[in-house]
Amino acid sequence: MPAKLRITPLAGEPFELTIGNTATIGRTSDNTVCLSGSPLVSRQHALVRCHDGYQYQIIDLGSRNGTLVNDQRVVMPMTLAPGARISIARNELVFEQIEDDFSNAHLEVTLAGSMAGVASAIRPVALLVCDIRGFSSMAEKISSSHLAQQLGVWFREAGNLVTKSGGTIDKFIGDALLAYWSGGEEGVDCTATLKIAREILALAGTIKWANGEPFHVGIALHFGSVTCGNVGLDAQRDATIIGDVVNTVFRLESVMKELNQQVLLSADFGDRLPSGEKLLDLGERKLKGKQQAVRIYGLG
């Protein structure tokens, strides 16, 4: 479902803007919504993004002055309801959704939901879930403003690594992100996906929380076929992925701490890597919701 923003800038006349899958908000002209008359707006201030075909979230991108929705500061990605009031350095934006032919599709907002009423295709992908370790406890130790800024910077920089490599960020869920890579004529390159995983780990290693504690993430990697929604429709719509393999990669991430690993790979992913890649065989494991055990690897 497309959406629009009704914008009342601090400087200039009010205007409306219809947005597609992704809209950036910032001070410079390369943003979808340019708030150039406000020096307190960051160059890249916030991101509005659609997933599941109709649900929009707003994410602060590490701005110094924050993003407010209905007078509440955005810390983690926040879902926008129709009529939501967004405030950025005294610029006011009102979010509205536009009814279209897919309003009654009744899509299920679950990881393995139904794609009824939406054009779709099956395709093989490499999947990556990255989750921040110790986020809940850190939220009790530092201020919400510091938390929001650091989380926003992290999503921005990690997201840049994904998109520059040709990957797609499917969604942000709390302090985690789900990304995927589909293949061209030569198929999906899991080696390239593992390289991005290592780059994300290296990026995390350069960061410290506001109180000086180290910043840790965990990454789960899996390979399989997913259903991609909205294939062949408006290119600006989100091609959300669903299927059992999406559930599996999240289940892998959930056992990472228990296995004391920063990166976990399924055998389906590991078997597509070069024979020279050193992997640590962690054996088979019964994952929640799975009938068959899954062989898991760590990085050697």
Side-chain angles (χ1 to χ4, degrees), residues 58-82:
I58 188 167
I59 303 154
D60 186 89
L61 296 177
S63 66
R64 294 179 64 88
N65 296 297
T67 301
L68 302 179
V69 173
N70 297 332
D71 301 320
Q72 178 183 351
R73 182 157 187 162
V74 175
V75 177
M76 293 191 294
M78 182 180 294
T79 299
L80 293 170

Side-chain angles (χ1 to χ4, degrees), residues 8-235:
T8 305
L10 186 61
E13 295 296 319
F15 62 98
E16 291 187 359
L17 185 67
T18 299
I19 60 175
N21 175 53
T22 302
T24 58
I25 304 171
R27 192 176 69 247
T28 55
S29 60
D30 55 343
N31 288 281
T32 312
V33 180
C34 176
L35 301 173
S36 58
S38 301
L40 296 181
V41 176
S42 297
R43 291 174 59 87
Q44 294 179 309
H45 199 105
L47 173 73
V48 176
R49 193 171 188 279
C50 177
H51 66 84
D52 296 313
Y54 69 96
Q55 190 175 68
Y56 284 80
Q57 289 180 325
I58 188 167
I59 303 154
D60 186 89
L61 296 177
S63 66
R64 294 179 64 88
N65 296 297
T67 301
L68 302 179
V69 173
N70 297 332
D71 301 320
Q72 178 183 351
R73 182 157 187 162
V74 175
V75 177
M76 293 191 294
M78 182 180 294
T79 299
L80 293 170
R85 295 177 291 103
I86 305 166
S87 180
I88 294 177
R90 295 171 60 196
N91 296 273
E92 300 296 327
L93 303 86
V94 177
F95 171 81
E96 297 289 353
Q97 286 188 286
I98 303 171
E99 299 244 345
D100 68 0
D101 294 339
F102 301 96
S103 299
N104 298 316
H106 302 299
L107 302 181
E108 295 181 23
V109 190
T110 64
L111 293 177
S114 167
M115 293 302 291
V118 179
S120 61
I122 306 296
R123 65 178 62 174
V125 296
L127 300 103
L128 177 151
V129 168
C130 180
D131 179 71
I132 299 173
R133 290 287 173 252
F135 179 81
S136 297
S137 61
M138 188 56 60
E140 299 176 352
K141 297 178 182 180
I142 63 177
S143 68
S144 60
S145 60
H146 279 126
L147 192 68
Q149 188 172 4
Q150 289 196 262
L151 190 61
V153 169
W154 169 250
F155 277 142
R156 185 185 71 214
E157 297 304 321
N160 284 341
L161 288 176
V162 170
T163 55
K164 287 179 180 178
S165 70
T168 300
I169 296 177
D170 183 74
K171 57 174 65 74
F172 297 95
I173 305 174
D175 61 326
L177 67 84
L178 168 65
Y180 67 93
W181 288 257
S182 56
E185 294 182 359
E186 298 180 359
V188 180
D189 187 353
C190 287
T191 302
T193 301
L194 179 58
K195 178 176 181 291
I196 297 303
R198 287 186 163 119
E199 289 180 7
I200 291 174
L201 281 180
L203 173 64
T206 67
I207 300 172
K208 289 188 180 296
W209 290 105
N211 64 356
E213 293 187 31
F215 184 92
H216 295 300
V217 299
I219 296 175
L221 299 165
H222 186 40
F223 171 84
S225 294
V226 297
T227 299
C228 292
N230 298 321
V231 173
L233 301 177
D234 183 348

Side-chain angles (χ1 to χ4, degrees), residues 232-255:
L233 301 177
D234 183 348
Q236 287 190 309
R237 290 185 182 278
D238 186 280
T240 293
I241 58 172
I242 61 171
D244 182 64
V245 294
V246 181
N247 289 331
T248 299
V249 74
F250 276 97
R251 299 308 186 202
L252 279 173
E253 185 277 328
S254 69
V255 300

